Amino acid sequence: MERKLRTLATLSANHFSAQLDAVVLRTGRHTERIRIEHPQAAAVLPFVDPNHILMVRQWRYAIARETLEIPAGKADPGESLETCAVRELHEETGYEAARLCSLFRYYPAIGYSNELIEIFAASGLLRRHQAQDEDEISRIEVICLDDVQDLIHRGVIQDGKTVIGVSLFDSKRKRGEIPTDFFA
């Protein structure tokens, strides 16, 4: 167990805060730890049909390039992750889903952040309008699930939530853990 001695520095922004703490390890050695307080988030693997999903192209500042990934975003204060998933799908793609199925919850950066992401699969998609998130999303694409797997294996898709969502859905489908009426 590590024990915090004091906070050395703090940074606060709109959606997160970070602190650098001096800590003492269980061995008695002193060191520093960074902790990022981050809102929970939801991601959606949206199926147009049993073999095709919607994906978004999005510029990611931290890695200075555009990525291909599943729709996702931070939960608003007091918003459930299921509601967040529905909202993000609608904002980023213009689609609503008739069915939503939780696949997995995970901590993407467990070494320094408390962010929790829940990944959902969605089906029964109906387009309601053009995507609203023009600041973030440059393009929406429909991609064959087999092609997504290939893009992951080739290293074209490196986004963690996308890799996890696609892999877990495939695994759960093979194990019979996806509801039988998911694609009805």
Side-chain angles (χ1 to χ4, degrees), residues 24 47 82:
V24 61
F47 283 87
E82 184 172 324

Side-chain angles (χ1 to χ4, degrees), residues 80-100:
S80 74
L81 291 179
E82 184 172 324
T83 300
C84 175
V86 169
R87 177 181 52 76
E88 287 293 335
L89 176 63
H90 191 249
E91 287 177 2
E92 292 190 1
T93 69
Y95 283 82
E96 291 181 357
R99 289 167 295 286
L100 203 62

Side-chain angles (χ1 to χ4, degrees), residues 94-169:
Y95 283 82
E96 291 181 357
R99 289 167 295 286
L100 203 62
C101 172
S102 178
L103 295 176
F104 190 65
R105 296 178 89 158
Y106 76 105
Y107 295 96
I110 205 163
Y112 57 84
S113 175
N114 68 346
E115 180 184 16
L116 175 73
I117 297 176
E118 185 165 0
I119 303 172
F120 295 86
S123 65
L125 300 184
L126 182 60
R127 185 152 197 175
R128 293 293 187 193
H129 60 76
Q130 293 290 345
Q132 300 171 349
D133 208 345
E134 295 173 354
D135 288 337
E136 291 185 19
I137 307 302
S138 64
R139 190 167 65 246
I140 300 164
E141 297 182 22
V142 176
I143 301 182
C144 177
L145 201 53
D146 289 340
D147 292 341
V148 174
Q149 289 280 14
D150 184 55
L151 292 170
I152 291 169
H153 286 284
R154 290 184 10 230
V156 174
I157 294 175
Q158 297 179 318
D159 170 61
K161 66 190 172 301
T162 301
V163 173
I164 291 168
V166 168
S167 299
L168 278 175
F169 185 86

Side-chain angles (χ1 to χ4, degrees), residues 8-9 11 20-21 32 37 45 49 58 62-63 69 76-77 101 121 126-127 130 162 178:
L8 302 172
L11 170 68
L20 176 64
D21 292 335
E32 297 171 347
E37 295 280 340
L45 186 64
D49 62 44
Q58 183 169 358
I63 61 171
E69 57 191 80
D76 291 335
C101 172
L126 182 60
R127 185 152 197 175
Q130 293 290 345
T162 301
I178 298 300

